[in-house]
Amino acid sequence: MMSAKRIAALLAMGLFIANGFGCTDEPGETHQSGEVDPRPDDPTEAPENAKLMHVAPECSPAQDTCTVSVIMGTETELKAQLLDADGQPVKDALVTFESNFGTTELSISTSSAYTDSQGIARVTLRGGESAGTGQLSAKTDNAEIAPINWMIGVSSKDRANYVVDFTHTGTAQIKPIDVRLFPSTVTCESLLSNPNQTAVLESQGRVDSTGAMPTVMFPDRPNGQAYTVGAWARSLNYNGDVEVAYGCTDNNPAVENGVSVNVVVDLVDHLPNIVGTYNVVHDFDLVGALPPTVETVVSMIGRLANDPGSFIVGCGANPVDPQACPPDSPGLINLLVDFLPDGDFKDAIVGFMDSSIGNGVLRDAINSIAENWLENSAPSWVGNTVTITSDIYETLRHFTVEGTMRFNSAPVVSVDANGNLIGVLPSESGAQTWNDFVFNWSRGCDTAPDPAACATRRVGSTQLLIDPVTGVFDGTLLGSDKLQINQHTLTLNYGALLVGVLEKIVLPSIFGDDCGPNNNLACDSLELALGQLIKCEDLAESATGDTSGALYNVVENLCTNLLGEASDKLRDYASTNLVATGTDHFLIATPSEQHCTLIQPETYQGNWEGQPLPLVQYLGQDTPADLNCKWDVQIRFSDSTSAEVEGTFWGERNN
């Protein structure tokens, strides 16, 4: 028999295009030479839960279909046994025989017979004067009882049948199976280099409506002849144009002494053609298990609009509203100090913050200056810090990315330890890119003509001021319809993303598009937003009670530095303190037990790449949700802190 590796190599070539073979679904002529068995005085109806079975030794009782060899001009008795639910024979029940002999010279002695005391109904089969095949079935008057079948081959004396059965453990939906007998000198391996070698005989079987594999019979095979058997299975759909599975077996036994040979061909699903580019939509919940460092930044951002003082200087030890401003929560000034070089200016800020007015007084002064804006210009929903913070979390919880995923190389085909066909993607042959980030921010959209469109905010990585998010990967195709993507790194900086959400989603919603000296800029940076709230001279005067002096200068200089460098300092802090060192701080893979489903086109039109082998059109599906492919994501916030979150994706081929 052919080794698993050789079968896998043959499948990988994908070179076998099966020709259409002659086949008919039309019933053949029934040849009947006898009468119906005499009716018993008290016939029995076939009982519920009874079973029709073949009779040994001619056939195995467990078989649904038994193969039978008939010599030309001879007779063979066939038997069907009816047993009740307890395994006891049913006597005097009517069994009907239906034949489909086509043009083969076969006849039966009767079209029906009654069972005897052993529950056996008999029919005599007679072979004609030419070789051929036919089918015969036996059934009862109870439609719930499954019929049994015989596959009959008529051969001349000292010749016999070459019978081919099939196994298929894959997921491909197959219908016709084209079968070829080659001389035994043709090996399965030799078909790799020359798939068009001449077959001795060709035939076709079809998978029935229940999914049962057919039996294909080649009658009248001479003694001493052995064959290599190849089988090409085509799809149940797509008009049979797509070859979805293949099998081959060589080194088979020869016909000897007129005894039939049975061989089994294992049909293995073809790996589909996955090479190409796919437009992919990812959805993530980036909130799960956030560490305190990230929660601190989100909380600080949430206080920006309605408590800008605490946003800048922190909440202090005894805040008025601990829920909105938790005790000792840092402000932007604390982050700024972390990034200032040692020197007089840094020392002045630290000293000021440690002074009696450094926290509470300055916070109140900032809020007093911002009060006019809060009362007259801010949206109504801005007044609730908790609401803003929860909205930021909700935006990160329903975080969508649109991008591409490209498979640059065909997988290397092999067979795993269980005999299943797999395809290993070459190292780093896959690549993905995140192009657009789509956030849902519904605040301020209540009165919009299209609230859903208003709430959808699509921005690119350049707009978010983060590096392009890319990654390379490899993985494995598992059979005809499953994909595993191994864990790999994406160049996403979670901290920088968080600041990007603040500046490009939250701030424009709060402060609008009238920032800057001429009130004509979108308020999409922290500097511009703070400029709406704070005038440094007024702040210094309000905080110190003077219009000059050392303390006045400290406050004014601090304010000016904050307004000029706020975004950069916050981004620096988030990009370095909210992610681990190194480059592998955003790791992503498909779950080990939840592989991505590969889906073929709904219809195949014209020619396609890799024809006639299957083509991947979709990586999962958008709906229903259970057909989304799954992501496992690990975010490393520090060398000792990480969080695992979930995601989904689906994609459609675009070339």
Side-chain angles (χ1 to χ4, degrees), residues 374-386:
L374 286 168
E375 291 180 353
N376 299 305
S377 301
S380 59
W381 52 267
V382 167
N384 190 326
T385 295
V386 176

Side-chain angles (χ1 to χ4, degrees), residues 183-196:
S184 59
T185 55
V186 176
T187 65
C188 291
E189 189 172 3
S190 73
L191 292 173
L192 285 171
S193 57
N194 184 9
N196 297 317

